[in-house]
Amino acid sequence: MLCFAWGLANSSFSMVSSTSDIDVTDAQTGSRRHHKRAKRSLRFSTSLTESFSQTLLSAESVGVDTPCPSHENIQGQKLIASLMSMTSRDRMKAIRNQPRSMEEKRNLRKMVDKEKSKQPHGTLELSCCAQCLNSISLAYRRPRSGLSELLDSVSLWQKTLKVIGGKFGTSVLSYFNFLRWLLKFNIFSFIVTFSFIIIPQLTVAERNTLRFTGLEFLTGAGYFTDTVMYYGFYTNSTIRHRIGGTSYHMQLAYIFTIGTCLVICLFSLLFSMARYFRNNFINPHIYSRGITKLIFCWDFTVTHERAVKLKQKNLSTEIRENLSEIRQENVKLTLNQRLTRLSAHLAAWVVSTGVAVACCVAVYYLAGNNSEFLESHRNPGAVLLLPFVVSCINLAVPRFYSAFRLVERYETPRQEVYMLLIRNIFLKISIIGILCYYWLNIVALAGESCWETLIGQEIYRLLLMDFVFSLADSFLGEFLRRIIGMHFIKSLGLQEFDIARNVLELIYAQTLVWIGTFFCPLLPFIQMITLFIMFYVKNISLMMNFQPPSKAWRASQMMTFFILLLFFPSFTGVLCTLAITIWRLKPSADCGPFRGLPFFIHSIYSWIDTLSTRPSYLWVVWIYQNLIGSVHFFFILTLIVLIITYLYWQITEGRKIMIRLLHEQIINEGKDKMFLIEKLTKLQDAEKRANPSSYALERRDVEQPSPFHAWGHDAAHDLRFRQSVQEGNPQA
């Protein structure tokens, strides 16, 4: 203990003496600067003396008995002593912020808890209420940390996403993040529908007498028609397995389960948009591009060699993206160049709009004549004509749109991706709108025995055909493009990953799933399988057939735009389609849980009428009449959402102005510092020329210190320094 105190005293006195020597030497150049530096050195020596005394006290409180501990032990004892004096919450934050691995942090926490338990209970100045709160907080924190570690351990494709981000940048990574986000969506929808619709129906399902041929995987008809896959198989009766047991109303379960899935998807989309909008548009570090995080921060918990190399590659990619954006923002175009680009953009928009209108007209006439075509062709494969044509359009036209980049030449890759997304979403949503018109106005009113099942089969075929075309494009199209670019036409080289086209394929498929869940409850499960396969297919194709983007750019805001497109017009269009189905169409009379009703919504009306006769359920009736069935409630809710959106927008604009003003302030302060440094340099040069002997003496004292009289020399200098300060400034 004495050795520890003596070593720390020597280091403290040597630091003070060296500081005082420098300040005393500088004090000879001017009285004002002498007083300022003397006061600063005096404050430094006082604070160092106080920290030295606190360190001795903390070391004594820990109970260090070693005669001369090492420097690491001293630092560890000081850290433990400082942590013991903190509250429970502050101690956890301090341990969490330590640049150590998780194992070292756990050991440090155990050591602090052990030393804390050795103290007598009389020294703990915590009341009974505080101890109770600390125990409750600890009991809550442990399960939460365990759940967080569990979720992190089961997180899908975490390592694969890091590899993709390190090699191809955040722009390509945004597609795979969006795919994983949609996969979680469909997993949740499948769990809900399977729990509340499919399992109850399986308990009362009859044996399927149809023969399975294998063609059902393509057509969706035949054997699958008489299974839980489609709407027509579900019963409209109340399920009760024993007399006097609990009843399960299938009509209410079906409509409430689908409605609950859509409502939760709605709130999830709104929450995700708000979260990504806050992180990518409102936070100030976005406007500074995170330069501080990239250059001055390193995760010291990364110790594995491969993880370190991957982290280095990610950082280099992010720095390259930031520098590329800064360079692109500084590009200035002349008036002729702007007019040329504007003309090219207008021509591209005219051509793309004309192509989209022509495709929509073709799909409309093909869908209108599809019934006559199926009647004249009894081949089971004839039902694949409409899905085949639609998939061909969705595959060929977006590639044609991507060729416009050779003419338009946008200033930034982000603008190019945005324009491609808008054109593709206009094409795909228009095609889905025409198909919905065909289903709800031709198929539903054609007098078929079970038109809901027919619509479910159509959507299943569209979804399956789109998946087959995506696989063929990845395995054949992208592979052949790599062969051509590497061996035959080497000037082409490897292609770049088309983010807009691939993202719109996901949005198109997810829109079909949301529409078809009402007619085919197993569609979320099918989409879950297809997304899982597509991730690995796209990952393999990306690594083999693509090169990193030639123009690096940050895509931190792309997820917000993807979810916005998924919400509008995709999800809003789905809500309109299902609202027309439930409120305006008559269910089939021979199949499905709503058979015999004039409209689907009448199942809710009859349930509310039943509850109105029971006094204990009048609150449910009031909620339905005043909230769910009230137009004013949804008007007020929409108004609140618009107000919140406006406030977020204003916050964003305010943050932009604040960041710009801070940048200007930093630039002005830098200019002021340069001016002061120049003045100081000139003054020092003048003083050197006036007193060359004093600077030579100071240089000799600094270069040749005495090793045998270091402590006495430092102490003498410290005393002379304090005496000079007191003589020059009596108030000090």
Side-chain angles (χ1 to χ4, degrees):
M1 185 69 192
L2 185 59
C3 179
F4 160 69
W6 182 255
L8 191 58
N10 283 334
S11 61
S12 62
F13 279 125
S14 62
M15 292 174 63
V16 173
S17 62
S18 60
T19 308
S20 63
D21 287 339
I22 296 173
D23 287 338
V24 169
T25 305
D26 292 339
Q28 298 174 1
T29 61
S31 59
R32 181 177 300 177
R33 189 166 54 185
H34 166 76
H35 289 307
K36 289 184 178 180
R37 295 193 178 184
K39 290 180 181 179
R40 190 186 306 117
S41 299
L42 184 59
R43 288 195 300 268
F44 175 74
S45 61
T46 306
S47 62
L48 190 61
T49 305
E50 291 176 357
S51 64
F52 168 64
S53 61
Q54 291 178 1
T55 305
L56 286 177
L57 292 175
S58 61
E60 291 175 359
S61 63
V62 174
V64 181
D65 297 329
T66 55
C68 188
S70 62
H71 179 71
E72 290 78 4
N73 293 333
I74 294 172
Q75 295 295 329
Q77 292 162 4
K78 289 169 61 179
L79 178 61
I80 293 175
S82 61
L83 291 174
M84 288 176 61
S85 61
M86 298 180 181
T87 61
S88 175
R89 180 173 298 179
D90 294 338
R91 183 163 59 249
M92 291 300 298
K93 290 182 180 179
I95 295 175
R96 191 181 298 115
N97 294 330
Q98 288 289 320
R100 305 170 187 271
S101 63
M102 291 301 298
E103 186 66 25
E104 293 175 348
K105 290 180 181 180
R106 292 191 184 98
N107 295 333
L108 180 60
R109 186 182 63 183
K110 292 178 181 178
M111 292 173 63
V112 173
D113 294 338
K114 183 178 180 180
E115 295 293 334
K116 195 80 173 177
S117 62
K118 291 180 180 179
Q119 292 184 349
H121 295 284
T123 60
L124 297 178
E125 299 178 357
L126 293 176
S127 62
C128 180
C129 182
Q131 292 179 0
C132 182
L133 291 176
N134 287 335
S135 60
I136 294 175
S137 175
L138 184 62
Y140 168 73
R141 189 165 54 246
R142 285 177 178 174
R144 187 182 63 178
S145 60
L147 180 61
S148 177
E149 292 179 1
L150 178 62
L151 293 177
D152 291 339
S153 62
V154 300
S155 182
L156 287 173
W157 306 311
Q158 196 70 25
K159 183 179 178 180
T160 306
L161 293 176
K162 290 182 180 180
V163 174
I164 294 173
K167 186 175 182 180
F168 293 91
T170 56
S171 56
V172 179
L173 179 63
S174 62
Y175 165 77
F176 290 91
N177 284 328
F178 186 62
L179 189 150
R180 185 177 65 167
W181 188 78
L182 287 179
L183 178 62
K184 295 178 181 179
F185 242 109
N186 288 279
I187 290 175
F188 166 77
S189 299
F190 168 69
I191 292 174
V192 174
T193 55
F194 185 77
S195 302
F196 297 99
I197 297 179
I198 298 175
I199 290 180
Q201 179 63 34
L202 288 175
T203 59
V204 295
E206 298 179 357
R207 181 181 176 82
N208 192 347
T209 58
L210 298 177
R211 187 171 63 90
F212 181 76
T213 60
L215 190 62
E216 290 84 357
F217 286 111
L218 292 177
T219 62
Y223 181 84
F224 288 159
T225 305
D226 200 13
T227 60
V228 292
M229 187 171 180
Y230 294 115
Y231 163 92
F233 182 73
Y234 290 86
T235 181
N236 65 334
S237 61
T238 301
I239 300 176
R240 184 181 289 109
H241 292 284
R242 63 179 183 273
I243 300 176
T246 304
S247 60
Y248 194 83
H249 202 280
M250 200 61 194
Q251 286 184 354
L252 297 178
Y254 198 94
I255 195 168
F256 276 125
T257 301
I258 302 298
T260 302
C261 285
L262 293 177
V263 169
I264 293 176
C265 288
L266 172 64
F267 284 106
S268 298
L269 286 172
L270 292 176
F271 175 77
S272 299
M273 280 193 299
R275 182 165 61 90
Y276 282 108
F277 184 78
R278 181 192 64 211
N279 294 337
N280 299 327
F281 287 89
I282 295 181
N283 285 344
H285 67 83
I286 295 301
Y287 306 111
S288 61
R289 294 186 176 89
I291 298 297
T292 304
K293 179 180 76 67
L294 290 177
I295 299 178
F296 301 105
C297 293
W298 176 262
D299 189 359
F300 288 96
T301 59
V302 180
T303 57
H304 195 269
E305 183 179 359
R306 293 184 59 185
V308 169
K309 292 182 179 179
L310 183 59
K311 186 70 174 179
Q312 291 175 348
K313 185 178 291 187
N314 284 326
L315 289 176
S316 63
T317 304
E318 291 187 29
I319 293 174
R320 187 163 55 91
E321 292 172 353
N322 282 284
L323 295 177
S324 177
E325 280 205 353
I326 294 173
R327 184 175 62 253
Q328 291 166 1
E329 289 176 358
N330 295 328
V331 175
K332 302 296 182 182
L333 300 177
T334 62
L335 181 60
N336 293 332
Q337 290 176 342
R338 292 181 181 179
L339 292 177
T340 303
R341 290 195 176 185
L342 181 61
S343 303
H345 294 167
L346 289 176
W349 273 105
V350 170
V351 173
S352 62
T353 305
V355 171
V357 171
C359 293
C360 291
V361 171
V363 172
Y364 176 78
Y365 280 104
L366 181 61
N369 299 322
N370 188 46
S371 300
E372 299 177 0
F373 176 78
L374 293 178
E375 290 177 359
S376 59
H377 296 78
R378 295 296 180 179
N379 187 1
V383 295
L384 298 176
L385 176 63
L386 180 61
F388 180 80
V389 173
V390 172
S391 298
C392 287
I393 292 174
N394 289 330
L395 180 65
V397 176
R399 289 185 176 275
F400 177 70
Y401 288 166
S402 299
F404 290 166
R405 71 181 64 181
L406 302 176
V407 180
E408 291 180 300
R409 298 184 181 276
Y410 285 99
E411 297 179 1
T412 59
R414 183 184 292 107
Q415 295 178 355
E416 180 182 331
V417 172
Y418 284 164
M419 292 301 105
L420 288 176
L421 284 172
I422 294 173
R423 290 168 184 167
N424 290 330
I425 198 69
F426 175 73
L427 171 69
K428 293 180 180 290
I429 295 300
S430 299
I431 292 176
I432 292 178
I434 292 172
L435 292 175
C436 289
Y437 176 82
Y438 162 69
W439 293 329
L440 301 183
N441 292 275
I442 297 178
V443 177
L445 303 178
E448 296 289 342
S449 59
C450 193
W451 59 268
E452 296 92 348
T453 299
L454 295 178
I455 293 177
Q457 293 174 358
E458 289 281 351
I459 296 176
Y460 170 80
R461 288 191 285 266
L462 283 169
L463 190 64
L464 182 65
M465 192 63 64
D466 182 76
F467 173 67
V468 171
F469 270 69
S470 297
L471 290 180
D473 180 53
S474 298
F475 283 120
L476 297 178
E478 296 171 355
F479 175 74
L480 291 177
R481 172 65 176 77
R482 181 177 71 89
I483 296 298
I484 293 173
M486 294 298 293
H487 298 282
F488 296 99
I489 308 177
K490 296 185 178 181
S491 59
L492 295 177
L494 292 177
Q495 59 181 334
E496 297 180 7
F497 190 78
D498 195 339
I499 303 172
R501 180 172 58 86
N502 287 278
V503 166
L504 262 298
E505 289 179 359
L506 298 178
I507 294 178
Y508 169 77
Q510 189 61 40
T511 306
L512 291 177
V513 170
W514 278 332
I515 296 174
T517 302
F518 185 81
F519 308 102
C520 180
L522 274 179
L523 272 186
F525 176 71
I526 298 172
Q527 178 67 358
M528 182 176 67
I529 296 176
T530 57
L531 288 176
F532 195 83
I533 296 174
M534 284 304 300
F535 182 89
Y536 289 101
V537 171
K538 289 295 182 181
N539 182 30
I540 295 173
S541 177
L542 180 69
M543 297 300 175
M544 293 178 58
N545 305 323
F546 292 93
Q547 64 175 350
S550 57
K551 294 182 179 179
W553 56 285
R554 291 183 305 115
S556 59
Q557 300 171 356
M558 292 299 294
M559 278 295 293
T560 309
F561 193 69
F562 294 163
I563 298 175
L564 178 62
L565 290 178
L566 190 64
F567 178 75
F568 181 83
S570 176
F571 188 76
T572 53
V574 170
L575 292 180
C576 294
T577 303
L578 294 180
I580 294 173
T581 303
I582 294 173
W583 268 273
R584 293 289 182 263
L585 297 182
K586 183 179 180 180
S588 299
D590 301 329
C591 67
F594 301 97
R595 68 187 75 172
L597 297 178
F599 299 104
F600 293 93
I601 194 62
H602 274 265
S603 60
I604 303 294
Y605 294 159
S606 60
W607 178 62
I608 293 297
D609 293 338
T610 304
L611 292 180
S612 60
T613 59
R614 301 177 182 178
S616 59
Y617 293 99
L618 292 178
W619 60 276
V620 180
V621 179
W622 183 89
I623 291 176
Y624 177 80
Q625 294 176 350
N626 295 276
L627 297 181
I628 300 177
S630 176
V631 179
H632 300 88
F633 171 74
F634 288 100
F635 175 77
I636 295 173
L637 185 62
T638 305
L639 185 63
I640 292 173
V641 171
L642 292 177
I643 291 174
I644 294 175
T645 305
Y646 175 76
L647 291 177
Y648 267 116
W649 183 262
Q650 290 299 316
I651 291 173
T652 305
E653 295 299 323
R655 294 285 176 86
K656 289 180 180 179
I657 296 173
M658 180 186 67
I659 293 299
R660 186 173 65 251
L661 293 177
L662 289 176
H663 283 171
E664 294 176 357
Q665 183 179 353
I666 291 172
I667 293 173
N668 293 330
E669 289 181 355
K671 293 179 180 179
D672 295 340
K673 290 180 179 179
M674 292 300 296
F675 175 77
L676 294 176
I677 288 173
E678 291 177 359
K679 290 292 185 181
L680 181 61
T681 304
K682 292 180 181 179
L683 183 59
Q684 288 179 349
D685 292 340
E687 291 173 352
K688 285 182 181 180
R689 289 192 295 269
N691 299 316
S693 60
S694 61
Y695 283 92
L697 180 61
E698 178 187 356
R699 190 181 299 111
R700 186 171 62 252
D701 292 339
V702 172
E703 292 177 355
Q704 296 180 358
S706 176
F708 299 101
H709 301 85
W711 185 83
H713 180 73
D714 294 338
H717 272 283
D718 184 61
L719 292 176
R720 289 197 302 270
F721 167 71
R722 292 176 181 271
Q723 183 179 1
S724 62
V725 170
Q726 292 176 359
E727 291 176 356
N729 188 5
Q731 294 181 357

